[in-house]
Amino acid sequence: HPVHLSRTFRRHFGCSIAEYQRQLRLEWARAKLVRSDESIGRIAIDAGFADHSEFTRRFVDETGATPSQFRLGYR
């Protein structure tokens, strides 16, 4: 049952399934920002975000830096 799955997942991982998925997508995007010269917009779309601005909002919430600032910090 979906409610059981959701509760069990949260108990085990400490977050919802959606939060966990978003963390994985942001982790993938961080690696891509460091390792490639692809545009931030392309990385945002490839990571499954609706657009560049949604990606930037989520990225700043997670890391405290914009994707551009993050990328420059690793160059």
Side-chain angles (χ1 to χ4, degrees):
H1 192 274
V3 174
H4 174 72
L5 173 63
S6 180
R7 286 181 184 157
T8 302
F9 190 92
R10 183 177 293 277
R11 210 171 15 248
H12 184 70
F13 289 99
C15 63
S16 71
I17 294 170
E19 291 166 340
Y20 185 77
Q21 181 185 32
R22 190 169 27 259
Q23 289 172 1
L24 291 175
R25 290 177 11 214
L26 285 168
E27 186 177 309
W28 179 87
R30 281 193 301 270
K32 199 75 161 149
L33 284 168
V34 171
R35 295 186 182 121
S36 79
D37 289 327
E38 281 187 65
S39 73
I40 293 170
R42 171 78 320 197
I43 292 171
I45 297 300
D46 289 349
F49 292 93
D51 55 29
H52 186 285
S53 63
E54 179 196 2
F55 172 62
T56 299
R57 276 193 310 277
R58 301 290 187 178
F59 197 90
V60 169
D61 289 345
E62 182 78 18
T63 66
T66 65
S68 297
Q69 291 167 337
F70 184 84
R71 180 178 262 173
L72 287 173
Y74 281 93
R75 300 243 164 152

